[in-house]
């Protein structure tokens, strides 16, 4: 209300009306709770009314809320994987990059994955950015940082991503020192096999190479050097030409 009194008169009405409306909405809505069973519309209403909530997801109609993030098993791995994705994005026009971006995937699921790569619609991508700025539909690649194989990233989320035809799904299980990179083939996820050097290569994004042993050792320099090799291949050059 103090801000309303100090807002210039010419914009005071609209600003204060919106402030009071949002305050009323927040007061009348139940708080978002871990484990709630909600429709996507109700999930969005409650999430919007709780700006202090940093991350919440709706998976198969159930709310999952993030715990405090430790740098060792999430913060640093997340930064490393986003650096890797960011280098690919910088070298590949027609590709979009997201970090913790909400995806309106279907009526029961609205995940907020750690990272994603998507093709722009004009480049053949199946997702789009809607009028409210959200990703609508399935990106081509989703990346999650999971504590272990017991995480819902490898259970409930995997089923949702498979059902919505996310073409590739990468899960780094930090505590288990394991990376699974799934490729959608004939309606089911198959693990992509590494080459003799332990490098996994995307089937959807030519040149997107991941040196798994180096990643697990925390050697980001080698991870990026291996990616650079992928970016210099004729397959990536042809991909860039096609997207351009």
């Amino acid at each position: 209300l103090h801000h309303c009194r100090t807002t210039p008169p010419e914009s005071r009405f609209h600003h204060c009306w919106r402030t009071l409306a949002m305050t009323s909405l927040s007061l009348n809505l139940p708080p978002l709770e871990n484990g709630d069973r909600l429709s996507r519309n109700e999930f969005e209403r409650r999430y919007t009314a709780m700006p202090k909530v940093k991350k919440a997801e709706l998976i198969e109609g159930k709310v999952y809320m993030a715990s405090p993030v430790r740098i060792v098993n999430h913060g640093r791995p997340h930064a490393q994987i986003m650096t890797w994705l960011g280098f690919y994005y910088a070298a590949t026009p027609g590709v979009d990059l997201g970090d913790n971006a909400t995806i309106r995937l279907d009526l029961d699921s609205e995940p907020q994955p750690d990272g994603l790569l998507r093709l722009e619609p004009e480049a053949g991508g199946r997702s789009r950015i809607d009028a409210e700025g959200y990703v609508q539909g399935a990106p081509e690649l989703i990346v999650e940082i999971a504590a272990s194989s017991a995480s819902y990233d490898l259970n409930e989320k995997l089923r949702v991503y498979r059902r919505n035809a996310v073409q590739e799904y990468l899960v780094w299980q930090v505590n288990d020192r394991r990376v699974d990179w799934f490729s959608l083939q004939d309606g089911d996820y198959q693990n992509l096999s590494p080459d003799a050097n332990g490098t996994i290569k995307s089937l959807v994004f030519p040149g997107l190479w991941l040196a798994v042993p180096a990643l697990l050792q925390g050697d980001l320099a080698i991870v990026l050097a291996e990616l650079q090799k992928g970016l210099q291949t004729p397959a990536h050059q042809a991909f860039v030409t096609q997207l351009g």
Side-chain angles (χ1 to χ4, degrees):
L1 292 178
H2 170 75
H3 190 65
C4 288
R5 290 193 294 270
T6 58
T7 302
E10 61 271 16
S11 60
R12 184 177 299 164
F13 173 79
H14 293 290
H15 175 81
C16 294
W17 179 88
R18 186 174 184 278
T19 300
L20 291 172
M22 290 302 294
T23 301
S24 176
L25 178 66
S26 300
L27 291 175
N28 291 331
L29 283 177
L32 197 62
E33 300 285 356
N34 204 32
D36 280 348
R37 292 283 182 178
L38 302 173
S39 68
R40 196 181 78 180
N41 286 341
E42 182 63 14
F43 168 75
E44 287 189 359
R45 290 200 325 138
R46 296 191 192 185
Y47 197 0
T48 301
M50 297 177 66
K52 291 185 179 180
V53 174
K54 298 299 183 184
K55 183 171 182 176
E57 301 179 292
L58 186 70
I59 305 296
E60 301 280 43
K62 183 178 178 180
V63 175
Y64 292 85
M65 300 176 71
S67 302
V69 176
R70 294 179 175 86
I71 190 169
V72 174
N73 62 7
H74 195 97
R76 187 182 301 124
H78 178 91
Q80 291 170 341
I81 212 77
M82 291 309 301
T83 302
W84 171 69
L85 290 174
F87 268 69
Y88 186 84
Y89 164 72
T92 316
V95 170
D96 192 18
L97 170 68
D99 180 339
N100 269 297
T102 294
I103 305 172
R104 287 173 166 167
L105 204 51
D106 61 35
L107 292 178
D108 294 312
S109 299
E110 189 169 299
Q112 190 178 329
D114 291 306
L116 66 85
L117 281 181
R118 52 181 291 273
L119 291 172
E120 298 286 8
E122 56 270 22
R126 299 180 305 115
S127 64
R128 63 181 180 84
I129 307 301
D130 66 20
E132 296 177 87
Y134 292 104
V135 176
Q136 183 90 41
E140 280 65 35
L141 171 67
I142 285 179
V143 179
E144 298 280 13
I145 310 299
S148 72
S149 60
S151 167
Y152 74 112
D153 292 309
L154 280 158
N155 293 282
E156 292 90 345
K157 271 192 184 179
L158 184 145
R159 292 193 292 271
V160 168
Y161 293 156
R162 181 180 58 203
R163 186 179 71 240
N164 283 277
V166 174
Q167 295 300 298
E168 292 189 343
Y169 179 36
L170 190 159
V171 186
W172 180 0
Q173 300 147 64
V174 178
N175 293 345
D176 294 342
R177 297 184 56 78
R178 177 185 174 97
V179 171
D180 283 305
W181 193 333
F182 301 102
S183 171
L184 191 65
Q185 299 175 23
D186 298 323
D188 202 2
Y189 276 141
Q190 303 296 327
N191 249 314
L192 293 178
S193 299
D195 65 15
N197 296 318
T199 296
I200 302 179
K201 302 174 182 179
S202 172
L203 300 181
V204 175
F205 294 97
L208 184 62
W209 294 7
L210 180 61
V212 174
L215 182 74
L216 297 180
Q217 292 167 12
D219 196 334
L220 187 57
I222 292 181
V223 170
L224 297 180
E226 189 69 11
L227 173 60
Q228 189 61 36
K229 293 179 185 177
L231 297 177
Q232 293 171 352
T233 59
H236 181 260
Q237 298 303 319
F239 188 55
V240 169
T241 301
Q242 173 190 336
L243 294 180

